[in-house]
Amino acid sequence: MKEIKYNLEKIGFIDFFSNQDINISKQSLDIARISAVHKDTYQLISKTGEHMAKMKGSLLYHANQATDYPTVGDFVLYHFIENGFSQIYHIYKRKTVFIRPDFKGHREDHAKSVLNQVLAANYDYVFIMVSLNNDFNVNRISRYVSITLTSKAIPVIILSKSDLCNDTLNKVQIIKNSFPKINIIPVSNISGDGYDKLTPFMKSGNTILLLGSSGVGKSSFVNQVMHKELMKVKKIREDDSRGRHTTTHRQLIITDNNVMIIDSPGIRSLGIMDVKEGIDEVFSKITELGKLCRFSNCSHTHEPNCKVQEALANNTIDQKQFENYIKLMKESKRTSQKSRNK
């Protein structure tokens, strides 16, 4: 592997991790961060360079679910082995983690049980990338934002391909109406417009998780931020105005000023687990009105003295936004129950 040596603080190893109580001897162990995952093999970056590693047998033995395995962005303790795979002894408690349900190829309503799929860990911001052409979908954005907020990270909505859109300001306002507290930044990978608005988030030591559907321009975004063609990019398809998917696995990329970007393959569909907390924050107006309903467990559909239904009748809550809220709450409850029953 490469001989590049990494400063732990600059790759995100803050007091949250160093202050954790570790129940194993640290003697002969070093700290590293997971920069890529290849099935059961993990690429590490550390103060001694880059190494390939596998989980120690005892750690693997006690791994019962997806969250027990290392993922991109994790900090770990490992024992270096010069001629072979180094061994991971411990995974540090995560500051943030992005989890979505894995239905194992089944439709969500047909799946008898739901497993967790861990996409990334220990990020500060989630850049939710949405194309301003055919990918624009507020309901899909609601899913990303709900999971991000539940994970305790800060969502930032990046609207790509602004050079191909004639009504950018209108679409920004549509999103702002649904997410008034979230930063919304239109960018163009052709002209570079909008990238200066990212400066507050692109600070040394910060980790950004980059998510979005296939073809929305994530690889072009990474190239723009890195100021070089690090990721292969394919031309937009004429039939649906979407780029061709180029990222094949999740990986942590480090910019020249020590900002870490976790890039991932495009997400075709994003189910949600138990993200009630995030949904409540996304739909805070509905949540606050719900506290004034006559019944504490009001479903806001048929009960008497429902303040949410009154607001709908008075047009102070958007009907489509309410329907999306109900849909997400039902899905969150259903998938979390299936997860517990697996």
Side-chain angles (χ1 to χ4, degrees), residues 95-144:
K95 180 178 68 171
T96 51
V97 59
F98 198 99
I99 300 174
R100 70 169 184 172
D102 181 1
F103 302 115
K104 292 298 180 183
H106 299 287
R107 280 178 46 183
E108 184 269 330
D109 53 345
H110 289 168
K112 294 181 179 179
S113 63
V114 179
L115 302 176
N116 291 329
Q117 182 183 20
V118 182
L119 296 187
N122 301 320
Y123 45 86
D124 302 286
Y125 300 96
V126 176
F127 280 11
I128 302 164
M129 182 159 282
V130 181
S131 173
L132 279 166
N133 53 12
N134 288 358
D135 182 66
F136 189 80
N137 186 309
V138 176
N139 290 351
R140 185 187 297 121
I141 297 173
S142 298
R143 292 173 175 269
Y144 282 106

Side-chain angles (χ1 to χ4, degrees), residues 139-151:
N139 290 351
R140 185 187 297 121
I141 297 173
S142 298
R143 292 173 175 269
Y144 282 106
V145 172
S146 296
I147 299 176
T148 301
L149 292 173
T150 298
S151 77

